[in-house]
Amino acid sequence: MSTSLLTFAKGGVHPQESKEIAEHLAIEKMPLPEEFEIPLLQHFGAPCQPLAKKKDRVEEGDLIGQAQGLGANVHASVTGTVTDIGTSKGPVSLSVPSITIARDLEAPDKVYSPSDWKGLTSQELLQKIKDAGIVGIGGAGFPAHVKLAPPPGTKVDKLVLNGAECEPYLTTDHRVMLEKPEEVIEGTKILLRVLGISEGHIGVEANKKDAIEVLRKALEKQNLEGLKITVDALQVKYPQGSEKQLIESVTGRKVPGGGLPFDVGVIVQNIGTTKAIYDAVVLNKPLYEKVVTISGRGIARPANLQVRVGTRISDIVRYLGGTKPDLAKIVMGGPMMGFAVSTLDIPVTKTVSGVLFLTRDEIDDSPYGPCIRCGWCLEACPMGLSPNEIGLYVEAGRSADTAQFGVFDCFECGSCSFVCPSKRPLVQFIRLAKQKAKR
Ligand code: SF4
Ligand code: SF4
């Protein structure tokens, strides 16, 4: 591998990529199912206040959930009638408030036309992003308008777009960069205007050479009007796409423990989020549609599907021809940081980037053993933590004492579990330790 590829210094692993299953599949628009279950809690923050009642007619794009506190607005994904204000199952939370909409089968899709955003101020752009309910759609779902407004006195001088997509199997951002490069670049310009800065970097792992070329060509054709936007090729190494590692790879700056990107003058946004910001600002379209990678050898037909928020996984599986007999595990998200689920009655939210249908050959469910003190997890940890010690303390019933090993700096990337020869569930230990240490 070329030494000119950018990367972070400490730790990291090389899991089997398994991207060949879906990376060549063009984004496909899924036909609309008849019913949608739209959770009012899809991201960081408190649940939205429902603005629709049972039997109300709602139009595609209507605001149906008002953000509370640090949350983000939720919009109707389709035109139809509200049939229930109840609860939905989620991958992490067992039950979240939701609005069910029966689609009006005759209603046409809403058409959005581009508008010129160049005359808008930074505050007006930020308001559009807030109104459209944009959250970080590649991860925890932090509201974009909050992330784009760092505290007064903070000096930000670089924007970094996360096109690493380092999780195995997932190919959503790859396809968006390949198929929508102009929108990604226009979204980057909008973000730079919001932040009042001129330097933007799009970090892309080198296993997506085609996306790097397409973006660079699209940039050459643009009038950047004094902006400096580059596409930076990154070494293929997990977790290249985690915020702190990406910032180090692209800018050489290190976010201190307990710190945030703006502490080193950087704001990071994901590629899908940038495209959603383009939609919100240029098309005035709220975030209620996204691309989701459906992959793994346990699904009849893998795909990069454009689906509306609230589409149930069961409807996606039916559309793709069902699952295969040797299906062993379903994971929402990537295999390193995702969550195993036991039901298909879960709706797609703004933050779901993939659903994996894994066969027995693709998973390792062998029982775990004792720590043999090999130290591999210490070498793999990009944060320089001691996951082995955290695991041992949790097993000894001393979770509350794990803060000394930096448990709160762990962002649950799973690199330690991945390399552990004893198959120890280190991330689960760490999640438990965090809960108890907080108390
Ligand atoms: S899960 Fe946490 S402890 Fe384990 S490698 Fe990642 S950051 Fe380190
Ligand atoms: S990799 Fe596993 S066995 Fe080795 S030190 Fe870490 S926890 Fe122990």
Side-chain angles (χ1 to χ4, degrees), residues 55-133:
K55 296 191 181 163
D56 277 358
R57 180 177 171 85
V58 291
E59 302 289 324
E60 180 185 337
D62 279 357
L63 180 66
I64 55 169
Q66 180 76 56
Q68 304 294 300
L70 266 188
N73 289 338
V74 167
H75 299 80
S77 305
V78 283
T79 297
T81 306
V82 174
T83 56
D84 194 21
I85 310 279
T87 56
S88 286
K89 292 189 183 106
V92 188
S93 183
L94 289 179
S95 163
V96 292
S98 70
I99 295 180
T100 304
I101 301 174
R103 181 168 68 89
D104 175 347
L105 305 182
E106 306 300 321
D109 281 354
K110 188 162 177 178
V111 178
Y112 294 93
S113 311
S115 61
D116 187 16
W117 60 273
K118 298 267 167 66
L120 300 179
T121 64
S122 170
Q123 273 312 312
E124 287 166 336
L125 292 169
L126 210 50
Q127 189 62 44
K128 275 185 168 238
I129 292 167
K130 181 179 181 183
D131 291 345

Side-chain angles (χ1 to χ4, degrees), residues 369-378 386-389 391-392 416-417 419-424 426 429:
C371 174
I372 56 168
R373 297 266 178 198
C374 64
W376 290 3
C377 58
L378 284 86
S386 306
N388 57 339
E389 296 294 351
L392 291 170
C416 50
S417 308
V419 295
C420 178
S422 295
K423 310 290 172 206
R424 289 172 65 72
L426 296 169
F429 285 147

Side-chain angles (χ1 to χ4, degrees), residues 240-396:
Q240 191 67 264
S242 87
E243 256 184 6
K244 290 181 179 176
Q245 281 59 43
L246 183 67
I247 289 170
E248 183 187 333
S249 298
V250 172
T251 70
R253 298 177 186 175
K254 290 194 181 178
V255 181
L260 290 167
F262 61 66
D263 292 328
V264 293
V266 182
I267 297 286
V268 178
Q269 286 290 351
N270 158 273
I271 288 293
T273 313
T274 306
K275 163 70 170 60
I277 284 171
Y278 166 89
D279 289 344
V281 170
V282 178
L283 302 179
N284 294 303
K285 181 181 177 182
L287 174 54
Y288 60 80
E289 192 164 35
K290 65 171 313 202
V291 182
V292 179
T293 299
I294 310 296
S295 190
R297 303 194 191 279
I299 185 84
R301 182 165 77 82
N304 290 300
L305 276 190
Q306 185 170 321
V307 298
R308 305 267 176 102
V309 167
T311 303
R312 293 188 186 105
I313 306 297
S314 50
D315 285 322
I316 292 177
V317 170
R318 207 169 300 122
Y319 172 65
L320 293 175
T323 57
K324 292 194 181 161
D326 50 351
L327 173 69
K329 192 176 182 183
I330 304 169
V331 174
M332 299 276 279
M336 299 295 281
M337 291 187 76
F339 291 86
V341 294
S342 54
T343 171
L344 295 176
D345 286 329
I346 297 179
V348 168
T349 62
K350 296 175 190 179
T351 59
V352 173
S353 44
V355 187
L356 307 183
F357 295 82
L358 306 174
T359 59
R360 198 143 295 285
D361 293 345
E362 295 175 284
I363 62 170
D364 181 357
D365 56 359
S366 52
Y368 74 89
C371 174
I372 56 168
R373 297 266 178 198
C374 64
W376 290 3
C377 58
L378 284 86
E379 273 174 45
C381 179
M383 298 302 292
L385 309 181
S386 306
N388 57 339
E389 296 294 351
I390 298 171
L392 291 170
Y393 267 59
V394 170
E395 282 180 317

Side-chain angles (χ1 to χ4, degrees), residues 238-239 377 380-388 390 405-407 409-417 426-427 430 434:
Y238 181 87
C377 58
C381 179
M383 298 302 292
L385 309 181
S386 306
N388 57 339
I390 298 171
F405 302 115
V407 72
D409 278 331
C410 168
F411 60 97
E412 301 174 16
C413 70
S415 299
C416 50
S417 308
L426 296 169
V427 176
I430 288 165
K434 279 184 186 171

